Structures are given as structure tokens and as C-alpha cells.
Amino acid sequence: MAFIESVTLEVADPTAADRFHTTAFGLGGQVRLRASQAPTTGFRGFTLSLVVPRPADVDALVGAAVDAGATTLKPAARSLWGYGGVVQAPDGTIWQVASSKRDTGPATGRIDEIVLLLGVEDVKASKRFYVGRGLAVAKGFGGKYVEFATGPGPVKLALYKRRGLAKVAGVSPDGTGSHRIVIGGGAGPFTDPDGFAWEAASPALTN
């Protein structure tokens, strides 16, 4: 069964990272933490996106993240597709916060989706790899972007060109070492062509 149960961020200080994610985003079990000292430099090749109902929700979450210690990579602003901003957590994870709506109402306090965007060298090749492991394509734009239908899991998965994703995030595409992320789901365990590691979902979700 192809779904994502959770993502595990590998961080130097799990206690501090947990405090940040709880204070900034109020995230629960969808994003887990694991201690790691694996060498890593620069762009880690992925971002996590929080899709929210309204621009006011973007402002609220970006503001909470900055107050909790995040660095602003791209201030929240309007674009052709909606409204969003990008921050980098103290543990190094890059978070995009976005809304496709132009609703001027107050913040709802709700997160509609968590999307894991993997920056890959060859979108078409990675797409074939994931389809071969049971993931169905929900939408795609040639060799630039692919989004998968990840079933009942709380996290969606998409592929983007590494350089393109770095540009969206506002950072250099250069980076070495560990991605510092492990994906838990019904398609694992395996390591994909770009070195992203998957592990098996908990038994309760695979029955």
C-alpha cells in the first residue's frame, strides 16, 4: 500500500527541534525527530510545505516560526499561484507555507496539507522508480514536477527538479552529505535514486 505515514527529520538536538516544531507549527506525529550527527552541508534536497486555507494563516505560521527561531528565506508575498513564504528552521529544515486562496478572512489555525517535495536530478526517472514501487501519479508536468496520490497517509509526496526547488526555497542548490530525512510509509523500505531513504510504516497502518 503506497502511502506516507510520517517523515522523520534527523537533527542534532531533538529536544530543541521538537520545541520549535510545536511552538511554530503545532505539528504532531506526522513529523518525527531522530538524533543524528551525519555530516550535511548546504541544500539538503527537500522542502516541507504546509498548505493552509488563507493568506492570514500563512502570516500567522511564518510569524510564529520566526518568533521560535527560524530564519526567513523568502518573506510572505503574493505570486501568480497565491500567497506564501519560506523559512528555515534552526535544525536546517526548509519549510514553505502557502495558500492558493485570496481569501481576506482571519486566520483559521488549520493546516490542510503537508507536502514533502523532493528535489531530484531526473524527474522522469524518479517518477518511474516510484511508480514501480506502487505510487500512483496524481498530476505531472513533464520533466519538471510530479505529484503522487499517497492514499490515506497525512503527508503528500511530490518531485521537483533539484535546482528548481532550491530556487523556490531561495537557496543555492549546492549541498553535500546526508539529506537528514527518512520517509516512513507503505512503499518502504528502500533508498531512491537520489539517496532519499524510506522505512516501513508502523504495523498498525499496514494491516
Side-chain angles (χ1 to χ4, degrees), residues 2 19 32 37 88 130 138 142 144 154 160 184 191:
R19 184 165 56 247
R32 302 174 182 177
Q37 297 296 330
Q88 187 167 31
Y130 278 107
K144 295 183 178 180
Y160 208 8
T191 299

Side-chain angles (χ1 to χ4, degrees), residues 100-191:
S100 61
K101 311 297 183 185
R102 298 188 180 274
D103 191 326
T104 58
T108 66
R110 193 174 80 237
I111 295 173
D112 289 338
E113 292 180 348
I114 302 174
V115 182
L116 171 60
L117 286 139
L118 302 183
V120 302
E121 291 302 323
D122 188 331
V123 172
K124 290 183 178 179
S126 292
K127 171 186 171 182
R128 288 193 298 270
F129 177 87
Y130 278 107
V131 168
R133 277 151 183 79
L135 277 76
V137 174
K139 64 176 72 170
F141 300 96
K144 295 183 178 180
Y145 176 84
V146 174
E147 184 179 307
F148 295 99
T150 44
V155 182
K156 294 186 178 297
L157 176 68
L159 307 177
Y160 208 8
K161 289 282 289 184
R162 180 185 172 96
R163 286 189 172 276
L165 183 59
K167 184 176 181 180
V168 169
V171 298
S172 165
D174 298 329
T176 62
S178 173
H179 292 299
R180 290 284 191 99
I181 188 171
V182 178
I183 307 159
F190 59 81
T191 299

Side-chain angles (χ1 to χ4, degrees), residues 188-206:
F190 59 81
T191 299
D192 81 0
D194 292 272
F196 289 101
W198 286 61
E199 60 188 15
S202 59
L205 290 185
T206 57

Side-chain angles (χ1 to χ4, degrees), residues 74-87:
K74 283 189 174 182
R78 295 196 180 279
S79 66
L80 290 176
W81 51 263
Y83 185 79
V86 186
V87 298

